[in-house]
């Protein structure tokens, strides 16, 4: 069965947004607007799988919303909203937690990383998180999901859940007139030179909001001086840059910086190396500083301007939530029938 094409993705309002979020996800969100109906969500229900200070969460939610708008997502043409305003996410997540198998969740590497050694003390939500993620996507019957490389396994699980739901309820799906499959198998969109941006301090570790060193990442709200300092201090190796991509193989820090340059410039790594092959890092870093400041500076400024007006941001989220709710309600109404819940 052909499904109407729709894009869905989400970003957690935890810590500050960084270059990894921007290049791995948000730039893709922006690009997809031209060809798809897009739904972009600030996933506050996901955020609380680990402790969030209730006095801080609203600010973080508004900041991610501001980043979406500052990066170029148009909230009139597409939907920007926060997850907790659309209760259908949690409702479908419950049904999916009865479809997903414990064995599937046990394989999730992100849970193992996040829970660490003290697994018994992790929240149940952190463990079942991928079922909520599947619900986020499938409550809009979304077909395409732009994400960074680190979300690939969760996307595969979402596909498994959709497939099992379609199989388990196949007869009911058919008898209610929805054809052979009710949910699409959502396709991950993980492309380009920066699907996994690494820490500036250690090219083998992912750039992350939770790294204790602020020098490991470039935040979207960093000013020009801070961006320049962080790039100048970024770890490198003593060799000049290679002329071919193969020469980056055993050089994680060089590979990372070249990938960042390529993604910011909208070109491939090969093009970057054609320009900078044989150059010292000092030369390359100076060019990277100019490029990063030119691209990120205006976004940071616009974010800072937008967050000054929380009423306007809340209006975007309120309006987006109303539109999202209308779509989600249609799916849930069908799902209740398919599962066999009595409605009176
Ligand atoms: P989150 O909030 O951790 O990250 C948001 C997006 O940024 C990408 N990303 C990166 N990409 C490249 N390099 C990095 N170092 C890097 N760090 C983060 C992530 O892959 C993600 O695309 N579970 C998700 C949020 C979510 C979601 C969804 C996504 C909830 N429901 C449904 C898609 C569909 C998360 O924690 O992303």
């Amino acid at each position: 069965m052909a499904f109407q094409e729709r894009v869905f993705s989400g970003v957690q309002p935890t810590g500050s947004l960084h270059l990894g979020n921007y290049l791995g996800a948000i730039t893709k969100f922006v690009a997809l607007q031209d060809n798809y109906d897009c739904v972009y969500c600030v996933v506050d229900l996901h955020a609380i799988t680990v402790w969030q200070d209730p006095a801080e969460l609203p600010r973080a939610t508004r900041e991610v919303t501001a980043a979406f708008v500052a990066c170029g997502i148009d909230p009139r043409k597409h939907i920007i909203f926060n997850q907790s305003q659309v209760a259908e996410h949690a409702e479908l997540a419950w049904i999916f937690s009865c479809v997903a198998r414990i064995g599937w969740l046990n394989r999730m590497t992100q849970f193992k990383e996040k829970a660490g050694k003290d697994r018994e003390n992790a929240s149940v939500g952190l463990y079942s998180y991928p079922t909520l993620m599947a619900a986020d996507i499938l409550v809009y019957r979304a077909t395409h999901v732009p994400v960074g490389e680190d979300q690939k396994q969760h996307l595969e699980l979402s596909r498994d859940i959709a497939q099992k739901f379609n199989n388990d309820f196949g007869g009911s799906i058919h008898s209610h007139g929805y054809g052979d499959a009710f949910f699409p198998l959502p396709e991950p969109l993980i492309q380009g030179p920066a699907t996994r941006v690494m820490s500036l301090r250690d090219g083998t570790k992912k750039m992350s909001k939770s790294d204790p060193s602020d020098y490991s990442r470039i935040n979207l709200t960093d000013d020009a001086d801070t961006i320049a300092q962080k790039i100048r201090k970024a770890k490198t190796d003593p060799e000049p840059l290679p002329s071919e991509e193969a020469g980056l193989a055993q050089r994680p820090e060089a590979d990372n910086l070249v990938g960042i340059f390529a993604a910011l410039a909208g070109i491939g790594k090969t093009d970057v190396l054609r320009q900078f092959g044989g150059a010292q890092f000092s030369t390359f870093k100076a060019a990277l500083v100019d490029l990063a400041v030119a691209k990120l500076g205006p976004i940071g400024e616009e974010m800072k301007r937008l967050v000054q007006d929380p009423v306007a941001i809340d209006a975007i989220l309120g309006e987006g939530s109303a539109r999202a709710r209308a779509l989600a309600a249609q799916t849930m109404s069908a799902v209740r029938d398919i599962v066999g819940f009595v409605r009176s």
Side-chain angles (χ1 to χ4, degrees):
M1 175 182 165
F3 289 90
Q4 191 193 324
E5 293 195 322
R6 180 173 285 136
V7 166
F8 180 92
S9 198
V11 175
Q12 291 200 53
T14 48
S16 49
L17 288 175
H18 54 68
L19 189 61
N21 302 126
Y22 176 67
L23 294 178
I26 303 176
T27 53
K28 315 286 173 61
F29 300 0
V30 175
L32 288 161
Q33 293 182 102
D34 291 340
N35 296 319
Y36 294 91
D37 285 335
C38 303
V39 182
Y40 295 129
C41 184
V42 187
V43 290
D44 47 9
L45 296 179
H46 275 94
I48 64 160
T49 55
V50 297
W51 171 250
Q52 302 299 326
D53 181 347
E56 172 60 16
L57 187 57
R59 193 203 60 77
T61 301
R62 292 181 185 122
E63 190 177 272
V64 176
T65 311
F68 283 174
V69 176
C71 290
I73 298 168
D74 183 346
R76 283 158 307 184
K77 291 204 184 113
H78 301 276
I79 296 178
I80 296 179
F81 76 109
N82 59 317
Q83 195 182 20
S84 60
Q85 296 208 58
V86 181
E88 283 81 357
H89 288 243
E91 188 180 357
L92 186 58
W94 175 256
I95 293 173
F96 284 172
S97 71
C98 301
V99 172
R101 305 290 91 183
I102 288 176
W104 299 359
L105 289 174
N106 282 344
R107 286 196 281 277
M108 294 297 114
T109 53
Q110 198 167 81
F111 172 73
K112 291 178 198 164
E113 280 161 23
K114 286 200 176 172
K117 289 201 179 73
D118 196 10
R119 200 177 293 183
E120 294 285 304
N121 203 28
S123 72
V124 175
L126 189 66
Y127 181 73
S128 62
Y129 176 117
T131 59
L132 178 58
M133 195 164 147
D136 297 338
I137 300 163
L138 293 169
V139 85
Y140 303 100
R141 298 215 272 169
T143 50
H144 295 81
V145 185
V147 281
E149 175 74 34
D150 62 335
Q151 296 300 318
K152 190 168 182 230
Q153 195 184 31
H154 290 160
L155 256 295
E156 280 158 8
L157 189 93
S158 298
R159 291 169 65 91
D160 290 343
I161 290 175
Q163 177 87 63
K164 185 160 167 19
F165 183 96
N166 288 340
N167 289 349
D168 289 354
F169 295 102
S172 182
I173 288 169
H174 201 260
S175 66
H176 282 93
Y178 295 108
D180 297 332
F182 181 71
F183 287 118
L185 305 189
E187 203 180 301
L189 300 175
I190 306 174
Q191 288 143 356
T195 56
R196 190 174 175 81
V197 177
M198 308 308 274
S199 157
L200 299 180
R201 309 298 292 162
D202 177 352
T204 63
K205 264 173 53 186
K206 193 180 70 172
M207 184 178 285
S208 122
K209 295 169 187 163
S210 55
D211 194 313
S213 164
D214 199 51
Y215 273 84
S216 69
R217 61 183 162 261
I218 293 172
N219 301 307
L220 287 189
T221 47
D222 282 346
D223 60 24
D225 284 349
T226 313
I227 295 175
Q229 259 187 33
K230 286 178 174 177
I231 292 177
R232 279 194 216 107
K233 286 199 177 195
K235 189 178 168 198
T236 49
D237 57 43
E239 303 296 319
L241 283 167
S243 317
E244 312 270 324
E245 234 185 297
L248 295 170
Q250 303 303 322
R251 302 176 63 186
E253 285 82 18
D255 188 24
N256 190 38
L257 293 181
V258 169
I260 290 172
F261 192 107
L264 283 172
I267 56 179
K269 287 187 193 175
T270 315
D271 305 312
V272 178
L273 295 178
R274 203 170 291 136
Q275 202 181 334
F276 290 98
Q280 297 297 328
F281 273 107
S282 51
T283 310
F284 177 64
K285 278 183 170 180
L288 182 55
V289 166
D290 288 346
L291 178 61
V293 168
K295 289 275 170 184
L296 303 178
I299 293 174
E301 290 303 312
E302 181 64 358
M303 279 174 71
K304 284 177 202 150
R305 193 185 69 77
L306 290 168
V307 294
Q308 304 283 312
D309 190 352
V311 175
I313 294 197
D314 293 0
I316 291 175
L317 292 173
E319 203 243 331
S321 297
R323 286 159 64 200
R325 212 176 290 127
L327 295 172
Q330 279 179 21
T331 305
M332 278 318 298
S333 169
V335 166
R336 286 188 209 107
D337 288 342
I338 289 166
V339 173
F341 294 149
V342 171
R343 293 206 273 170
S344 49

